Amino acid sequence: MILVTGGAGYIGSHTIVELLNKNFEVLVIDNFSNSELSALNSIEKITGKSISFIEMDLRNYDLLIEKTKEFDIEGIIHFAAYKSVGESVFEPLKYYDNNINSLINILNFLKERSISNFVFSSSCTVYGSPEIIPVTEKSEVKKGESPYGKSKIIGEEIINDFNASHTFSAINLRYFNPIGAHSSGLIGDKPSGKPNNLLPFVTQVAIGKREVLSIFGGDYDTPDGTCLRDYIHVTDLAKAHVSAIEYNRKNHNKVIPINLGTGNGSSVLEIVNTFEKVTKIKINFKINPRRKGDVPAIFGDCSLSKKLLGWEAQLSLEDMLSSAWNFEKNIKN
Ligand code: UDP
């Protein structure tokens, strides 16, 4: 059985679908701080399989031990964390408390329960604003520009240090920009309140929930002046987690960072144009000043994932955008 923390969230829910498709049993721990129980019901609907579920906060170690006693856990995929860059700047302690203490508890738990297979949800934010793109896993890890970003960098360091003192196999998956939704339209990215990320903002403008998309910066040193990112379909990303769990079964006893992207950079305007092409809906946008903390351009060299995990992204930008739109149209209220 695989323990998936934060399993009701955006990437977690898609990953559980892929785990169940590969006949893994799944135990979810989530406190619904930024997700909903309905995501778990949707997963069961999509897969026709059931999942075990505990509602709790991972900062409560005693409860974690108590509630998981009856489950035979082979591996852990640790998603549970706060993820808003902007909010983390205003509430740094909230971010460090949750993201770091939950990780420490889950690693103590791993040791106590003799679990040796660990996958951590990291981010390309660890590369900061890179001098050379595409970034490889050997590219420099920077200092971190927000408490959120630092919590991922520190998280990776904690896992490395712990691995030097205790034997287990870990993979730090460094995500680029996951977008899109499951083909069923039943699960997807559903931020509460005003979206921070590009795609939910675009789909909310398309459906009429928001009036205008603000494009942050049109004067970057990029082909069309807007930022470049490596957008990856969340279903592709989810599948990589299953491959990582399978790879760790080889007991390599190391911590391996692996980039997960497509290797292509797309600009904000390309996203808007492709979205319009795929959905035949015009997006009302305005080019505004740059957003503080945005890096001009980043995309990944994703050859290591292919070499080690046998995984590479399959789905196109069109698939990403049409599935995101399909999900938006399905959201009730
Ligand atoms: N972006 C934008 N308008 C928005 C949200 C995002 O222009 O309302 C841009 C942002 O400047 C960046 C890209 O879209 O270049 C992706 O931003 P997102 O927040 O989705 O991900 P990030 O790369 O910051 O993690």
Side-chain angles (χ1 to χ4, degrees):
M1 168 174 268
I2 306 299
L3 167 61
V4 181
T5 74
Y10 175 44
I11 305 173
S13 57
H14 288 81
T15 298
I16 295 171
V17 169
E18 300 309 323
L19 284 165
L20 294 172
N21 284 343
K22 284 269 192 128
N23 294 321
F24 283 94
E25 285 185 272
V26 172
L27 166 64
V28 174
I29 294 182
D30 205 301
N31 65 358
F32 298 123
S33 63
N34 191 27
S35 60
E36 291 168 14
L37 179 63
S38 61
L40 301 181
N41 298 330
S42 298
I43 295 169
E44 296 191 331
K45 207 160 152 191
I46 292 167
T47 60
K49 295 184 178 172
S50 61
I51 32 192
S52 304
F53 164 63
I54 301 166
E55 179 174 356
M56 64 161 288
D57 193 308
L58 286 169
R59 283 169 290 188
N60 188 339
Y61 187 71
D62 293 339
L63 194 64
L64 175 61
I65 295 293
E66 173 60 30
K67 293 259 193 187
T68 54
K69 255 196 229 139
E70 64 186 280
F71 298 101
D72 183 14
I73 299 168
E74 173 203 344
I76 302 172
I77 307 180
H78 181 52
F79 291 106
Y82 292 144
K83 62 173 187 178
S84 164
V85 175
E87 185 189 41
S88 78
V89 174
F90 295 104
E91 299 205 62
L93 299 185
K94 175 177 165 181
Y95 273 68
Y96 288 125
D97 176 34
N98 187 45
N99 294 7
I100 302 298
N101 287 323
S102 297
L103 174 64
I104 292 171
N105 279 352
I106 209 77
L107 291 173
N108 270 318
F109 172 77
L110 171 142
K111 183 173 180 185
E112 185 155 339
R113 293 284 300 265
S114 304
I115 298 164
S116 62
N117 188 336
F118 188 68
V119 176
F120 179 60
S121 191
S122 188
S123 164
C124 70
T125 191
V126 303
Y127 300 118
S129 187
E131 287 75 43
I132 301 167
I133 40 178
V135 286
T136 77
E137 292 79 359
K138 292 199 168 72
S139 298
E140 188 191 350
V141 169
K142 299 281 176 52
K143 207 172 117 284
E145 284 171 21
S146 68
Y148 162 75
K150 285 180 192 163
S151 78
K152 292 297 172 191
I153 296 168
I154 297 165
E156 287 203 13
E157 285 180 359
I158 290 172
I159 296 165
N160 285 330
D161 290 344
F162 185 49
N163 189 261
S165 73
H166 173 75
T167 305
F168 62 102
S169 298
I171 297 184
N172 294 332
L173 292 175
R174 295 176 176 166
Y175 314 147
F176 285 77
N177 287 57
I179 59 170
H182 189 263
S183 54
S184 63
L186 293 175
I187 51 172
D189 193 3
K190 197 180 170 191
S192 47
K194 193 173 168 188
N196 294 307
N197 294 112
L198 180 61
L199 243 291
F201 213 106
V202 169
T203 57
Q204 289 194 9
V205 170
I207 208 149
K209 277 188 202 158
R210 311 214 169 252
E211 208 156 307
V212 55
L213 167 72
S214 172
I215 294 185
F216 300 133
D219 58 351
Y220 285 100
D221 185 16
T222 57
D224 65 20
T226 64
C227 293
L228 293 184
R229 295 287 182 275
D230 186 341
Y231 296 94
I232 171 165
H233 198 300
V234 67
T235 295
D236 274 335
L237 193 80
K239 288 180 178 167
H241 291 75
V242 182
S243 304
I245 284 285
E246 287 169 343
Y247 186 80
N248 280 346
R249 280 180 165 170
K250 294 179 186 164
N251 294 323
H252 53 81
N253 296 335
K254 295 189 292 270
V255 186
I256 309 174
I258 299 184
N259 287 344
L260 294 183
T262 62
N264 304 314
S266 305
S267 74
V268 181
L269 278 175
E270 258 179 277
I271 294 290
V272 171
N273 293 336
T274 312
F275 185 87
E276 290 182 335
K277 197 181 84 198
V278 168
T279 63
K280 316 255 182 305
I281 295 171
K282 272 262 157 260
I283 295 296
N284 184 19
F285 70 84
K286 187 167 181 291
I287 307 230
N288 281 328
R290 296 179 177 194
R291 178 170 72 175
K292 201 171 163 284
D294 271 341
V295 308
I298 183 163
F299 50 96
D301 176 323
C302 299
S303 48
L304 186 65
S305 66
K306 186 164 185 207
K307 189 171 143 212
L308 292 187
L309 308 182
W311 171 94
E312 63 184 329
Q314 305 285 337
L315 298 166
S316 67
L317 197 55
E318 283 78 6
D319 296 326
M320 301 178 210
L321 299 175
S322 59
S323 64
W325 176 230
N326 187 33
F327 176 67
E328 181 68 67
K329 286 188 291 185
N330 266 346
I331 297 177
K332 312 273 180 296
N333 72 53

